[in-house]
């Protein structure tokens, strides 16, 4: 979903996956929301280069109880 703040254009996207427990696997949640600034728009190339952050969260990774991840990441996306 794109939106504007002042003169800047932004993009918010990502995913959220939920898997229920099955057999010896625990329920699992995997999420990676992204907040990206359209930096290409600064030189007239809108919707081509984005920079921002992604927050990776994974509870019970691969269904393994207690195998959790939680970390922010810098992100650059270039559309050709």
């Amino acid at each position: 979903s794109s939106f504007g703040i002042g003169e800047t254009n932004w993009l918010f996207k990502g995913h959220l996956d939920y898997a229920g427990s099955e057999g010896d696997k625990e329920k699992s949640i995997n999420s990676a929301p992204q907040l990206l600034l359209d930096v290409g728009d600064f030189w007239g190339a809108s919707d081509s280069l984005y920079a921002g952050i992604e927050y990776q969260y994974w509870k019970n990774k691969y269904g393994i109880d207690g195998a959790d991840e939680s970390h922010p990441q810098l992100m650059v996306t270039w559309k050709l």
Side-chain angles (χ1 to χ4, degrees), residues 14 68 75:
D68 301 336
M75 180 172 196

Side-chain angles (χ1 to χ4, degrees), residues 19-50:
S21 58
E22 183 179 328
D24 63 347
K25 303 280 186 190
E26 293 292 323
K27 63 184 173 191
S28 176
I29 298 172
N30 182 3
S31 175
Q34 302 168 358
L35 180 62
L36 304 169
L37 172 63
D38 186 351
V39 293
D41 196 38
F42 294 127
W43 57 81
S46 62
D47 199 35
S48 64
L49 182 64
Y50 291 87

